[in-house]
Amino acid sequence: MFEIATKHPRPITRRTFVGASAGIALASASGACGQPGSDAAQPSDLFVINMLGGIRNPNIPRSGGPSGALEGEQRTALDDRALADALASGTAAVNTTIGYVAGPREPFESSVADISRWNMIIRQHPEALLKVWAASDIETAAREGKVGIIQGFQNAAMMGDDAQRVQVFAGLGVRVIQLTYNVANQLGHGSMAPENGGLTDFGRDVVAELNATNTLVDLSHSGEQTCLDAIEASTAPIAITHTGCRAVTDLPRNKTDRELRLVAEGGGIAGIYFMPFLAADGMAVADDVVRHIEHAVQVCGEEHVGIGTDGGTTEYDDMEAAYEAARRDVERRRAAGISAAGERAGVVPFIPDLQGPDQFRKLAGMLRARGHTTERVEKILGLNALRVMREVWGG
């Protein structure tokens, strides 16, 4: 059993926020009664902030073309089922990737277009979605039985050679910006760049602008030296929104104990993902998520660990189709030069036994069964992230 000790009073949970109106919101959003995965009739009593994830139904066929990481979201696949599952999962807010990540799109223009597209989606679903500008908006979403949409980037290439573009995106409501994806850009090196170079002078300028605009710095996907340099450069707490622990599974997408510890010492947070990188063979299961969370708690302390699943809350109905889709995505990502060690055919980019709207409830139960208190579990699921976001964004 995992040894725990906490001196903190019991924190607030989603059940405090969600009143009777949440049931109305869920019923309004889940019009497709009887659909697979929509079996949760009541809103969740959990309070979850998914520091990197999404809302989409993976069972809706793609319209063709390259994967989202290459060309942006050509199809949102956000239907009644996806909305109902997100609401039922206890997700008070999710950092949803928008903007340029990699590929042939023009970084700046495509990122502005993605912001506009997601603003339209939020306006089309006022009963279920709320755009997040400040931490108070997450609390409002929880009270009203909605999901707060945090708009975030997973690459800062759209800054071009002008660090003041950060101000443009902050003004448009982008609240989280990751410095690099897997490869190098003008700010620094990603986790798959073999040189492991550090933060560039331009990268330091961008970090300064992110701090000045109260935008959360995200160091997921960064190479180790770029990560360490950015932690030192930032005057505000930073986040590694979705990662694992390299001491548990030695893959480049996971963070070293040194990186994790320094993030915590600066008041930031590390989110553990539901990804195959949690196991050396890529066949990660729910127990691996627990192992990485426990290691992160040991290194960072329970106040500085969260979750960033890098996935959604609607499960795959056809696992064979999921494996085939993953195989095609791996081929495309390798061809584009943006894949990470650990991505391969036969491995799906999610945890097969942590799918669907009950995934957070199941994880909470597993952690409690290992000896973690309810207070600690609530911190990991969302309250730690809320604290960091409140400190960086205000509200």
Side-chain angles (χ1 to χ4, degrees):
M1 302 289 283
F2 193 94
E3 295 296 326
I4 59 93
T6 178
K7 299 179 182 178
H8 301 279
R10 179 182 176 84
I12 197 167
T13 66
R14 187 181 179 93
R15 74 169 58 88
T16 310
F17 292 126
V18 180
S21 61
I24 298 173
L26 178 62
S28 174
S30 60
C33 296
Q35 293 221 31
S38 300
D39 54 351
Q42 299 297 326
S44 172
D45 61 354
L46 299 177
F47 178 80
V48 176
I49 296 179
N50 189 350
M51 292 196 294
L52 196 286
I55 305 176
R56 66 180 299 270
N57 184 349
N59 302 292
I60 295 178
R62 293 184 175 186
S63 59
S67 70
L70 297 178
E71 290 289 347
E73 289 285 352
Q74 300 297 331
R75 63 277 160 232
T76 301
L78 193 157
D79 64 353
D80 288 342
R81 177 180 173 184
L83 286 169
D85 286 348
L87 291 165
S89 72
T91 300
V94 55
N95 173 22
T96 303
T97 298
I98 61 173
Y100 177 83
V101 178
R105 298 198 304 163
E106 200 288 317
F108 182 83
E109 293 180 1
S110 62
S111 298
V112 172
D114 277 1
I115 295 169
S116 176
R117 180 176 59 84
W118 259 101
N119 287 344
M120 179 184 67
I121 291 169
I122 294 168
R123 289 195 300 270
Q124 290 172 339
H125 299 282
E127 79 292 346
L129 304 178
L130 177 70
K131 180 167 176 171
V132 171
W133 291 83
S136 58
D137 292 323
I138 299 175
E139 296 172 300
T140 298
R143 277 196 306 272
E144 297 180 354
K146 300 178 182 180
V147 177
I149 299 298
I150 302 166
Q151 295 182 337
F153 292 162
Q154 280 205 68
N155 195 335
M158 68 286 294
M159 303 307 163
D161 60 1
D162 184 1
Q164 292 191 350
R165 283 186 177 180
V166 170
Q167 299 178 23
V168 174
F169 290 116
L172 293 173
V174 177
R175 308 310 296 129
V176 183
I177 295 183
Q178 184 174 290
L179 300 188
T180 72
Y181 195 56
N182 286 335
V183 298
N185 64 13
Q186 68 270 43
L187 285 78
H189 280 203
S191 61
M192 296 310 300
E195 300 86 358
N196 189 29
L199 195 68
T200 66
D201 289 341
F202 180 70
R204 294 179 189 279
D205 291 342
V206 170
V207 170
E209 288 294 330
L210 292 170
N211 291 161
T213 57
N214 301 321
T215 304
L216 184 60
V217 178
D218 185 359
L219 299 178
S220 308
H221 287 268
S222 68
E224 182 177 2
Q225 191 57 53
T226 291
C227 182
L228 294 172
D229 289 349
I231 292 170
E232 182 180 12
S234 180
T235 59
I238 61 93
I240 303 173
T241 60
H242 57 299
T243 191
C245 305
R246 196 176 300 183
V248 179
T249 305
D250 189 11
L251 288 172
R253 272 290 286 112
N254 298 330
K255 294 300 184 181
T256 64
D257 284 358
R258 183 184 180 194
E259 292 168 278
L260 296 172
R261 188 175 296 109
L262 288 172
V263 165
E265 289 176 357
I269 187 169
I272 301 301
Y273 45 29
F274 294 7
M275 288 289 280
F277 308 114
L278 299 181
D281 63 0
M283 302 299 181
V285 295
D287 284 338
D288 294 304
V289 177
V290 171
R291 287 194 306 130
H292 282 259
I293 287 175
E294 289 184 342
H295 183 82
V297 168
Q298 289 176 331
V299 173
C300 301
E302 67 177 34
E303 306 286 345
H304 303 282
V305 179
I307 53 170
T309 67
D310 208 356
T313 49
T314 297
E315 67 183 311
Y316 280 84
D317 297 332
D318 185 343
M319 284 299 293
E320 290 187 8
Y323 279 103
E324 175 58 23
R327 182 192 63 78
R328 293 194 301 268
D329 275 347
V330 168
E331 290 179 353
R332 285 192 288 260
R333 289 169 61 81
R334 285 179 176 172
I338 62 169
S339 65
E343 296 180 13
R344 59 182 178 81
V347 171
V348 289
F350 55 87
I351 304 297
D353 57 339
L354 271 183
Q355 292 192 76
D358 287 334
Q359 59 187 267
F360 303 122
R361 184 174 290 104
K362 179 177 180 180
L363 176 62
M366 293 176 70
L367 289 169
R368 286 194 294 267
R370 293 271 299 169
H372 300 273
T373 64
T374 297
E375 289 85 351
R376 173 176 284 177
V377 172
E378 289 173 348
K379 290 177 185 178
I380 292 169
L381 289 182
L383 292 175
N384 286 340
L386 182 64
R387 171 188 56 79
V388 173
M389 291 168 178
R390 182 178 289 118
E391 183 170 348
V392 175
W393 300 340

